[in-house]
Amino acid sequence: MKAWQYIAARGGLENNLKLNTGAPMPVPKDPSTQHVIQVLSVCLNPVDYKIAELIPSVMLRKPNTPGIDFVGKIATAARGSKLVKGDTVFGIAALSPLAAGALAEYVAVPTEGVAKVPPGVEPIDAATLGVAGLSAYQSIVPYVKKGDKIFINGGSGGVGVYSIQIAKILGCHVTTSCSAANVNLCRTLGADEVIDYKGSVLEALRKSGGFKHIVDNVGNDFQLYWQAHTYSQPSAKFVRVAGGPSLRHLAFATTARLWPGFLGGGKRQLLGFLARPRLDHLQQMGVWMAEGKMKAVIDSRFPFEKAPDAFRKLKTQRAKGKVVVDVASTDP
C-alpha cells in the first residue's frame, strides 16, 4: 500500500516526508480492539508535526506515518464490533502524534476512537471532527451551562471553529478573538462578540468582564492567564488547549503552577489539556452535525500526492478551519 512516512523531521516534517509505495498492510495487535480502515481523507493538526520536529531523530521509531484524524471505510471490523465491513466511519487513528498512521491507504485504529458517520453528514466533514472536535468538546462541555459567558482565544482555527459552535449549542454567550480577516467567519459560526487580536484583547475583555470560562486555543499570550482575574469570575477556569513542548511554554506552565496567586501569580485555576478518545463525544458531535447545529469549516483540500504541501499550508497558521488530504475516492 501507499503511505507517507518519515525517519527524521529536522528542517520541517513537510521536507522529510517520502511516499512509500510498498508499505506493509497494517495488522491489528489485538483484533478485538482494533479495526482496519481504508482511509478516504485525513485532516491535519499542528500536533502532527510539532512533536516530531522537536524530538531528535535518534529517538523516533522508523519509519513513522503521521496523521491522526480520518474518515474511511471499515475494511476489517474488530471482533465483536457492531460496525461491519463497508461502514463509513470517522475518528482518531491514535493519540500518538508521531506515528498515528492515518496518512496511508489503510490504518489499524482503536475501537474507542471510531464512530459511524451519521446519515446526512458528508464524509469529508466528519474527517474534521477528530482532534479538533474532541478538543473543543472536552475543553468546554464539562465546565459550562446555559447563559455562561465564555471567552475563546482563537476562534477561526481548526479547534476554534468548533469551540464557538459547541458553546453556542450549549447556550453560552461567546466572545472570541481572531484576525480582522476572519471576523465575519466567527460571527457566522455564532460568536456574539469578536475581538481583533491585533488590538488590545485584554482591554476588550476587561470592558466586557464577567467571564465564567476561558479557553486558549492559541497559547502565545501568557498575559491572558496572568490577568484573567481582571476579566473573569472568581470561579472561572482557564483551559490551555494550545501550547507546545517548547521551553517557553514549559517555563510558563511550571511557573503558573508553582507561583501562588497571593504572591502575584495567577488567580484563576489553570487546566492543562489533552484530548481523549471518547466514542460518546464523537457520536454526539456527529449528531449535532447531522442536525445542522455544527458545520465543518474546511480551508483547503490536497490530493494524496501533495500531502507535504498540505503541511506547508497548515504551518502558515493562516488556514481558516481545517486542512484536508484526500487519500482515496469517497466511494471506493
Side-chain angles (χ1 to χ4, degrees), residues 45-48 51 68-69 91-97 100 110 112-113 128-140 142-143 158-159 162-163 166 215-217 239-243 271-282 285 322:
N45 297 285
V47 72
D48 287 322
I51 306 296
I68 300 175
D69 296 356
I92 59 174
L95 282 181
S96 168
E112 68 266 26
T128 68
L129 284 172
V131 169
L134 288 172
S135 296
Y137 189 103
Q138 293 169 5
S139 64
I140 293 175
Y143 307 107
V159 177
Y162 283 133
S163 300
I166 289 173
V215 178
D216 188 358
N217 292 324
V239 182
R240 292 187 75 231
V241 174
L271 300 178
F273 183 82
L274 178 65
R276 307 180 311 279
R278 283 284 299 269
L279 178 58
D280 55 334
H281 294 176
L282 291 169
M285 289 187 290
K322 304 298 293 183

Side-chain angles (χ1 to χ4, degrees), residues 15-224:
N15 298 319
N16 287 276
L17 285 172
K18 304 295 182 184
L19 184 59
N20 183 353
T21 59
M25 286 287 291
V27 177
K29 294 180 180 178
D30 182 354
S32 66
T33 63
Q34 285 185 302
H35 305 293
V36 175
I37 306 294
Q38 180 178 8
V39 181
L40 301 177
S41 298
V42 174
C43 196
L44 301 184
N45 297 285
V47 72
D48 287 322
Y49 67 84
K50 284 187 175 181
I51 306 296
E53 292 180 355
L54 182 72
I55 294 178
S57 60
V58 294
M59 298 176 62
L60 294 173
R61 189 183 74 191
K62 300 177 178 60
N64 290 291
T65 298
I68 300 175
D69 296 356
F70 73 91
V71 68
K73 289 186 177 292
I74 296 285
T76 304
R79 188 184 306 129
S81 172
K82 294 181 180 179
L83 297 172
V84 298
K85 182 176 181 179
D87 281 345
T88 304
V89 295
F90 71 100
I92 59 174
L95 282 181
S96 168
L98 298 176
L103 202 56
E105 291 181 311
Y106 291 87
V107 62
V109 303
T111 55
E112 68 266 26
V114 180
K116 191 172 182 178
V117 176
V121 175
E122 290 295 326
I124 188 67
D125 293 340
T128 68
L129 284 172
V131 169
L134 288 172
S135 296
Y137 189 103
Q138 293 169 5
S139 64
I140 293 175
V141 175
Y143 307 107
V144 303
K145 64 182 184 302
K146 184 177 181 180
D148 284 348
K149 288 186 68 175
I150 177 174
F151 170 55
I152 298 166
N153 189 37
S156 61
V159 177
V161 295
Y162 283 133
S163 300
I164 293 172
Q165 294 180 82
I166 289 173
K168 292 306 296 181
I169 289 171
L170 299 176
C172 296
H173 180 282
V174 176
T175 297
T176 192
S177 65
C178 65
S179 66
N182 293 329
V183 167
N184 287 338
L185 168 63
C186 290
R187 290 195 185 281
T188 61
L189 294 174
D192 299 287
E193 299 180 45
V194 184
I195 303 170
D196 182 350
Y197 71 76
K198 290 188 178 179
S200 176
V201 176
L202 269 175
E203 182 179 343
L205 292 174
R206 287 168 179 153
K207 286 182 178 179
S208 182
F211 290 95
K212 181 69 174 178
H213 190 59
I214 305 156
V215 178
D216 188 358
N217 292 324
V218 182
N220 289 332
D221 186 356
F222 299 149
Q223 286 302 310
L224 289 175

Side-chain angles (χ1 to χ4, degrees), residues 224-239:
L224 289 175
Y225 171 68
W226 298 124
Q227 296 298 316
H229 62 284
T230 66
Y231 63 85
S232 65
Q233 298 180 27
S235 60
K237 292 178 173 58
F238 192 108
V239 182

Side-chain angles (χ1 to χ4, degrees), residues 288-302:
W288 283 337
M289 190 168 276
E291 293 174 343
K293 295 178 181 178
M294 279 178 63
K295 66 178 181 179
V297 179
I298 296 175
D299 177 89
S300 47
R301 297 173 67 172
F302 291 80

Side-chain angles (χ1 to χ4, degrees), residues 245-293:
S246 68
L247 291 178
R248 178 172 176 263
H249 284 93
L250 290 175
F252 164 76
T254 301
T255 303
R257 294 191 182 282
L258 297 180
W259 189 12
F262 68 87
L263 291 179
K267 297 177 175 61
R268 296 294 180 264
Q269 184 177 0
L270 176 65
L271 300 178
F273 183 82
L274 178 65
R276 307 180 311 279
R278 283 284 299 269
L279 178 58
D280 55 334
H281 294 176
L282 291 169
Q283 289 173 330
Q284 179 61 76
M285 289 187 290
V287 169
W288 283 337
M289 190 168 276
E291 293 174 343
K293 295 178 181 178

